[in-house]
Every structure is written in C-alpha cells, then in structure tokens.
Amino acid sequence: MKMLYKLEFAIFCSIIFTICSSKPLNFNHLFKKHIKICTSLIAGGILSSQSSYASTETPSSKTYTNERYHTELHYPSNWNQQFGELSGERSLVAFVDPDDSDTSASVVFTPIPADYTKLNSFGGGKETLRQYLLPTGENVESNVINENVKGDTYTLEYVVTAPNSPQRHIISVFALRSQESVIGLTIQTKESDFLSKKQTLEAIAPTLRVDLP
C-alpha cells in the first residue's frame, strides 16, 4: 500500500497523469495531465494480470469487456493485459505492446455524481475538455492534431513535447455514461514510432463502447 501511495502521489504531481490522487475527486481537473500512468504502474509492479472481466479472441484482436461499467474495447491480440485499482473507487486496465512498453492503450473507469448528465456538465464544450486532457507544465508543449465530439464522447489526438522525455503521440477519448461514470481511454506511443504503428493504434479508439446493456 505504501508503494502504491507513493506512486500515486508522484504521478499526481507530475505532468503526465493526475487521476491518482487519494483526495476526493475534483472533476474540474480530473483528466488534466494524463499520459503515462500505465507504464509507471507496470514498471512499479502494481498492475496485476488477473481479472474476472471477459476477454475474447479473434485472429487479429481481443475484446475486453467490463460489465460493471458497460464498456467494451478491442485491442491487438498479442498485447499484454494488466489491471490495477486506484483510489476513489477507480480502476485501470492497460494493454501493452510486449515488444515496446512505450506503446500502450489504457482505460480508467471513474464513478461520477448523478448530476453529471452531459459532457457540458464538466463546464463547457471542446475547449474545456481539451484543457482537461492536455498536459501542462514548465516547458511542456502540446500540438493538437485532431479533435471531435460525437454524442457524449470527446476524442483528442495530440503530440506532447516535454523536457528529458521523447515526444509522445497520444489519442485520448473521454466518454461519459450519464450519472454513472467517465471512461478515459489513452492510446500512446513515441512520436518517432507513430507512423509505423499508426494503423494499429488508430484502429483501437473506434472500438470503444460504453453503452453495453
């Protein structure tokens, strides 16, 4: 537990993923700086490969299903699946390329209050959601490539440049289940590797479903 707390605190204070604080959730800052939690948790030995959630296999992909949060996601069949529990009743599942730990997809499930019924419950439109998702910090730069809103799902693609770290290409999806939960999907790799992995990575986000019965 001490190891988990220290890791969560470090991530909370970093420029890359601030949804691990042990304090009560502040939804105005919930998804503001999130990129590298999965790699950090895997490196720290926090994530577990055991879960009761379903995973079905096809020749090129597997399907992850979370019945509690009515969520489904397809990911490359050769990627490793890992699980972790965060504070505040949040949970995490990560899918990591076994040949490149810098390439991964992760999903964080966060319960929300009943008065969060639409994306604009978070305080605005695309501009507000973009501010939540883009990492900030000294000498940190984010270049937005694409963004769109479809129903209660916001998708943002961007490249992050930070000191002492390789450029990262990120695809983030912020999906709302009204009065129930926010599902945050983060797909990432090094920018130098993105073109070679573009087809694989871009195929993941459209498979996210948060409307399972």
Side-chain angles (χ1 to χ4, degrees):
M1 292 300 294
K2 289 183 178 179
M3 180 180 181
L4 177 58
Y5 176 80
K6 290 179 180 179
L7 181 58
E8 287 188 350
F9 182 76
I11 295 170
F12 177 80
C13 295
S14 76
I15 64 169
I16 34 189
F17 208 16
T18 58
I19 61 173
C20 294
S21 172
S22 60
K23 298 179 181 179
L25 295 180
N26 180 341
F27 287 94
N28 288 330
H29 299 282
L30 185 60
F31 286 92
K32 193 173 181 182
K33 305 169 186 173
H34 76 304
I35 297 179
K36 206 177 177 183
I37 187 173
C38 299
T39 305
S40 299
L41 289 173
I42 293 167
I46 301 300
L47 293 179
S48 166
S49 61
Q50 299 179 352
S51 173
S52 60
Y53 298 131
S55 179
T56 59
E57 187 171 356
T58 68
S60 60
S61 69
K62 290 183 179 179
T63 302
Y64 165 78
T65 302
N66 187 313
E67 295 180 357
R68 176 184 176 186
Y69 289 104
H70 311 277
T71 300
E72 178 181 278
L73 182 73
H74 295 209
Y75 64 96
S77 60
N78 66 321
W79 285 19
N80 297 324
Q81 185 177 137
Q82 305 286 334
F83 297 87
E85 295 297 324
L86 307 178
S87 60
E89 299 184 12
R90 289 162 288 174
S91 58
L92 163 73
V93 58
F95 312 97
V96 183
D97 185 338
D99 298 319
D100 178 15
S101 62
D102 286 314
T103 300
S104 64
S106 61
V107 186
V108 172
F109 304 94
T110 303
I112 59 174
D115 56 345
Y116 282 76
T117 59
K118 297 182 180 297
L119 283 181
N120 59 17
S121 299
F122 292 85
K126 289 194 299 183
E127 293 77 13
T128 301
L129 293 170
R130 188 189 313 125
Q131 291 176 5
Y132 291 158
L133 290 166
L134 291 179
T136 59
E138 186 176 358
N139 298 320
V140 177
E141 297 181 1
S142 298
N143 177 31
V144 175
I145 297 171
N146 188 32
E147 64 178 333
N148 66 78
V149 176
K150 184 177 182 181
D152 284 327
T153 300
Y154 172 69
T155 303
L156 179 67
E157 182 177 0
Y158 55 101
V159 174
V160 174
T161 303
N164 304 315
S165 178
Q167 279 190 317
R168 292 188 175 273
H169 198 116
I170 315 294
I171 301 172
S172 292
V173 181
F174 184 103
L176 174 72
R177 279 188 60 85
S178 179
Q179 300 180 306
E180 180 184 296
S181 59
V182 165
I183 291 89
L185 167 65
T186 302
I187 303 163
Q188 65 164 321
T189 192
K190 289 185 290 188
E191 173 64 4
S192 58
D193 295 334
F194 180 73
L195 286 180
S196 64
K197 301 181 179 184
K198 177 181 172 73
Q199 183 175 0
T200 297
L201 299 179
E202 289 186 343
I204 298 173
T207 70
L208 177 67
R209 291 186 57 191
V210 298
D211 59 353
L212 298 183

